[in-house]
């Protein structure tokens, strides 16, 4: 008898085209209504309700009610990591869309990977921080150096406050577009929050994962991270 959990059910749920589209939309770490998800997936409101019921039952999505509305989001960061990994495999094996959308270049330049910065600029940030000696490799992955703690403090991020959270402190996350790493974990999320607080970039479109940098914002971001 095979060992370990049975992955077939989860794989089948994710493998449906409509469910794959709605799960990908929820990677933006913003809760969406069933109507919004139906539009993304290209199906009717009744059909999306059936898909969401199956995903809720499997624990892949969670729901929160506010008044008359119900908002759906991914059930956890591990689900987001699974979806990003699948995107990486799909990209590497050539399973790309026949007609890339008009937002594809912007998505590959800078986007959210659940709650941290990904894309070309996310990879640039990770490489720059490594070159600065902000991180060093340890037995269990990355760890923050003393110089790194000072750099984050000067950048406006309190590493001690981030470390107190109930999540991974810092970790490399493989970027599906660049095929290199960007910064995940609590520090990665804090870095994105700081970028948005500085108004270097914006996430004005509720249903999109794109992080839109202004020209001046991108210049400031690159200057602040350059080794």
């Amino acid at each position: 008898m095979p060992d370990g959990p049975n992955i077939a059910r989860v794989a089948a749920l994710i493998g449906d085209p409509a469910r794959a589209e709605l799960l990908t939309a929820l990677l933006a770490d913003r809760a969406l209504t069933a109507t919004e998800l139906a539009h993304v997936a290209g199906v009717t409101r009744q059909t999306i309700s059936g898909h969401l019921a199956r995903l809720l039952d499997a624990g892949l999505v969670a729901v929160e009610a506010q008044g008359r509305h119900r908002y759906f989001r991914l059930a956890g960061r591990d689900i987001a990591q699974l979806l990003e990994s699948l995107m990486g495999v799909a990209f590497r094996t050539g399973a790309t869309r026949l007609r890339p959308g008009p937002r594809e270049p912007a998505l590959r330049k800078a986007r959210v990977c659940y709650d941290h910065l990904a894309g070309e600029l996310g990879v640039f940030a990770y490489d720059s921080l490594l070159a600065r000696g902000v991180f060093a490799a340890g037995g269990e992955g990355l760890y923050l150096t003393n110089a790194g703690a000072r750099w984050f403090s000067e950048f406006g991020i309190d590493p001690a406050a981030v470390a107190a959270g109930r999540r991974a402190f810092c970790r490399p996350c493989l970027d599906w577009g660049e095929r290199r790493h960007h910064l995940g974990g609590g520090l990665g999320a804090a870095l994105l929050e700081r970028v948005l607080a500085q108004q270097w970039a914006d996430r004005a479109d509720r249903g999109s994962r794109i992080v839109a940098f202004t020209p001046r914002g991108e210049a400031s971001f690159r200057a602040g991270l350059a080794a």
Side-chain angles (χ1 to χ4, degrees), residues 57-129:
D57 182 62
L60 295 180
V61 300
V63 63
E64 179 179 349
Q66 288 189 5
R68 298 170 54 190
H69 300 286
R70 301 174 77 212
Y71 294 91
F72 298 87
R73 64 169 65 249
L74 295 181
R77 295 184 182 88
D78 57 338
I79 309 300
Q81 292 166 16
L82 171 62
L83 295 172
E84 281 284 337
S85 296
L86 285 172
M87 284 179 154
V89 173
F91 185 79
R92 177 172 55 81
T93 58
T96 54
R97 299 180 190 275
L98 294 178
R99 294 183 179 179
R103 296 181 176 184
E104 186 78 12
L107 191 69
R108 292 189 61 179
K109 181 168 186 177
R111 66 182 181 278
V112 290
C113 176
Y114 193 62
D115 62 358
H116 54 270
L117 184 65
E120 174 192 327
L121 291 180
V123 170
F124 164 79
Y126 181 78
D127 289 344
S128 297
L129 292 173

Side-chain angles (χ1 to χ4, degrees), residues 97-184:
R97 299 180 190 275
L98 294 178
R99 294 183 179 179
R103 296 181 176 184
E104 186 78 12
L107 191 69
R108 292 189 61 179
K109 181 168 186 177
R111 66 182 181 278
V112 290
C113 176
Y114 193 62
D115 62 358
H116 54 270
L117 184 65
E120 174 192 327
L121 291 180
V123 170
F124 164 79
Y126 181 78
D127 289 344
S128 297
L129 292 173
L130 285 180
R132 277 180 171 271
V134 168
F135 298 111
E140 298 181 358
L142 291 180
Y143 70 88
L144 189 66
T145 65
N146 291 333
R150 289 193 297 272
W151 184 89
F152 271 101
S153 295
E154 292 170 359
F155 198 71
I157 296 170
D158 182 358
V162 176
R166 296 181 178 180
R167 62 174 301 180
F169 181 52
C170 61
R171 62 175 183 81
C173 184
L174 187 62
D175 193 279
W176 63 258
E178 297 296 306
R179 303 304 302 162
R180 287 151 55 208
H181 290 107
H182 56 250
L183 180 63

Side-chain angles (χ1 to χ4, degrees), residues 3 8 25 27-28 36 45 55 87-88 111 118 129 142 161 165 174 179 187-189 192 201 207 213 219-220:
D3 296 324
L27 271 171
E36 290 169 326
R45 177 69 170 75
L55 294 171
M87 284 179 154
R111 66 182 181 278
L129 292 173
L142 291 180
L174 187 62
R179 303 304 302 162
L187 279 178
L192 176 58
F213 278 76
S220 298

